[in-house]
Amino acid sequence: MRDVPGYRRGDDQRSLRGRQRTARLGGTAVTAPAAGRSHPIVGVGAVVVRPDGAVLIGHRIKQGEPASWCLPGGHVEAGENFEAAAVRETGEETGVHGVAGARVFTLALQTDGARVHVIAGVLARVAEHETAAATLEPEIFDRWVWARPEELPTPLFPASAALLAAWRDEPAPEGWTLYPTVEATPYPRAEHRSGHPVPR
């Protein structure tokens, strides 16, 4: 068998022994997940608006939760951006598929929960005044309504309350931090004395 330069017998077990040794000493190995730590939850909420300004909102009756009024939304799936997730969730929950112009307008971070929730608010529009929503998940929503922004039913689902506050330019609800999305100022590119841009 040929010797591998720089290899010492037992190197392939060193990381494992390191974890075992650290555990015996009462510490936590760098490669081991922290006990009790949960992964963040990344989701979206869609503010779907009709031409007359009404917003689509559903009466949420999910078992184990108090009843509330909630925007369409849910988890972001692998391979999706926020806009695609919002359009997909709106279609799956309400049957409304004629959604256009989806764009992120805020990020909401829940700061008082046992788990970290990061929710993107996505504004989208439908072209028809008479767009009807269907109850496709009756175990979660028992009805969908179009409501004027100043006449939204209450109580609101916490994440929806945060996103709607950002959309209406209101203070964030307690336990939430809102991050507006802004266009970054283009970074000025340096130029040679000759006037030609510096290659990136």
Side-chain angles (χ1 to χ4, degrees), residues 63-84:
Q63 186 174 4
E65 297 179 359
S68 62
W69 290 88
C70 182
L71 297 170
H75 294 104
V76 178
E77 296 184 353
E80 287 184 320
N81 58 27
F82 290 130
E83 293 87 349

Side-chain angles (χ1 to χ4, degrees), residues 1-198:
M1 179 182 296
R2 294 182 56 189
D3 292 333
V4 178
Y7 173 80
R8 293 176 297 178
R9 186 177 300 278
D11 278 355
D12 53 349
Q13 296 295 317
R14 184 157 298 163
S15 61
L16 175 60
R17 291 202 306 270
R19 288 195 294 270
Q20 293 171 339
R21 182 169 56 252
T22 306
R24 288 198 301 270
L25 294 175
T28 302
V30 174
T31 54
R37 181 176 295 175
S38 300
H39 294 292
I41 297 174
V42 180
V44 293
V47 179
V48 181
V49 183
R50 281 192 323 200
D52 62 357
V55 176
L56 182 61
I57 194 163
H59 190 235
R60 184 181 175 97
I61 55 166
K62 187 175 181 178
Q63 186 174 4
E65 297 179 359
S68 62
W69 290 88
C70 182
L71 297 170
H75 294 104
V76 178
E77 296 184 353
E80 287 184 320
N81 58 27
F82 290 130
E83 293 87 349
V87 172
R88 174 184 54 77
E89 287 285 354
T90 298
E92 290 176 356
E93 293 181 345
T94 74
V96 174
H97 295 283
V99 176
R103 64 176 181 85
V104 176
F105 66 89
T106 192
L107 288 176
L109 173 66
Q110 186 178 17
T111 54
D112 67 348
R115 298 187 67 177
V116 175
H117 289 74
V118 180
I119 312 295
V122 176
L123 180 64
R125 301 185 182 279
V126 292
E128 301 295 332
H129 284 273
E130 301 302 323
T131 301
T135 306
L136 302 181
E137 298 179 344
E139 72 282 3
I140 301 178
F141 294 96
D142 63 3
R143 64 188 182 278
W144 292 91
V145 300
W146 292 92
R148 298 192 61 79
E150 64 274 13
E151 299 174 350
L152 293 175
T154 56
L156 292 170
F157 186 67
S160 296
L163 299 181
L164 288 165
W167 182 54
R168 297 185 291 191
D169 198 23
E170 298 173 351
E174 185 176 355
W176 290 84
T177 301
L178 299 174
Y179 295 87
T181 57
V182 296
E183 292 186 4
T185 302
Y187 187 80
R189 298 179 62 186
E191 295 185 356
H192 288 297
R193 291 183 180 180
S194 63
H196 297 294
V198 175

